[in-house]
Amino acid sequence: MENVAQTILSQYANSPTIVQLIQNMDGYIDPSADIDAFYNLIWNVDSAVGMGLDIWGKIVGLENGRKLTIPTTEINFGFAEAGTASAEPFDQGVFYSGTPGTQTYVLQDAPFKTLILAKAMANITDCSIPSINQLLQNLFAGRGRCYVNDLGNMQMRYTFEFALEPWEVAVVQQSGVLPRPTGVLASMAQIPVPNVFGFAEAGASAAPFDQGVFY
């Protein structure tokens, strides 16, 4: 009633008809529900969906929006010397065409939100190792250890001790949103602990003979 009264001129404040009309109109066109919906669906990145996330993509500077190019997992024809992970035998592998195949996907809301948050944090980071480590831990919370290695000679590596989804690999390797200092070459490694071979000194982070694979 107090807010409604502020919209009525003093000479009409004692008119029950006018006051009732104004009160009814205030109830009919109360914008609070729309304001709450705008905040939750568009402005709050944690709860935004659909068009709200598209807007956030533009705000943080994702030029391609939801589109993300992911390398194909197709394995080409080859011989035993190439190893089983990079070549397939007759009737299974296809001939290499000269250029690696790619597939362009339109990200759904959940992975797109991850991409938005990665770009947002990259926009304000100072590119120090502690800052990048914090960025990775925020993005992949609860997934396992992930961190940056300084390899020397102007090189660094994003290391993940768990398996990434294909779209997550594309975010790390091809989206360009993860930060790196100017002039530093960045690479990525997935080490799915504890399924890699190691010795007892590694404790629970490595598997024994005939169980773990070489990294």
Side-chain angles (χ1 to χ4, degrees):
M1 176 62 185
E2 180 180 352
N3 292 333
V4 171
Q6 293 177 356
T7 66
I8 303 175
L9 294 176
S10 59
Q11 59 263 43
Y12 303 118
N14 294 320
S15 170
T17 301
I18 292 179
V19 170
Q20 188 63 53
L21 286 173
I22 296 298
Q23 289 177 343
N24 292 345
M25 186 178 297
D26 180 66
Y28 298 149
I29 63 173
D30 181 10
S32 59
D34 291 333
I35 293 173
D36 290 341
F38 173 82
Y39 177 79
N40 292 324
L41 301 179
I42 294 180
W43 193 244
N44 182 6
V45 68
D46 291 325
S47 59
V49 296
M51 185 184 70
L53 291 176
D54 292 333
I55 293 172
W56 271 107
K58 294 179 180 179
I59 290 174
V60 300
L62 291 174
E63 297 180 359
N64 295 324
R66 292 176 180 263
K67 294 182 180 179
L68 191 62
T69 300
I70 299 177
T72 182
T73 56
E74 180 180 80
I75 300 177
N76 300 116
F77 169 76
F79 298 94
E81 291 82 356
T84 57
S86 59
E88 291 282 3
F90 286 102
D91 297 326
Q92 295 187 39
V94 298
F95 284 103
Y96 180 60
S97 63
T99 56
T102 59
Q103 296 174 313
T104 299
Y105 290 92
V106 177
L107 296 178
Q108 297 300 313
D109 282 355
F112 186 44
K113 185 178 296 183
T114 299
L115 185 62
I116 289 172
L117 294 175
K119 185 65 167 68
M121 287 186 281
N123 288 345
I124 60 175
T125 185
D126 59 3
C127 281
S128 65
I129 285 181
S131 296
I132 298 177
N133 283 344
Q134 186 62 55
L135 184 155
L136 294 174
Q137 291 165 14
N138 290 344
L139 286 179
F140 301 99
R143 298 279 297 279
R145 296 206 312 165
C146 50
Y147 46 86
V148 172
N149 299 108
D150 184 354
L151 304 180
N153 297 320
M154 299 295 287
Q155 297 182 64
M156 60 178 282
R157 181 178 66 203
Y158 298 106
T159 301
F160 300 88
E161 294 186 0
F162 51 87
L164 297 174
E165 297 292 335
W167 66 267
E168 291 175 327
V169 174
V171 167
V172 174
Q173 291 186 321
Q174 295 175 283
S175 67
V177 303
L178 287 186
R180 60 182 177 85
T182 302
V184 174
L185 179 65
S187 59
M188 187 198 75
Q190 296 183 70
I191 308 174
V193 174
N195 299 317
V196 291
F197 173 75
F199 296 96
E201 290 82 356
S205 62
F209 284 104
D210 297 327
Q211 295 187 36
V213 296
F214 284 105
Y215 169 61

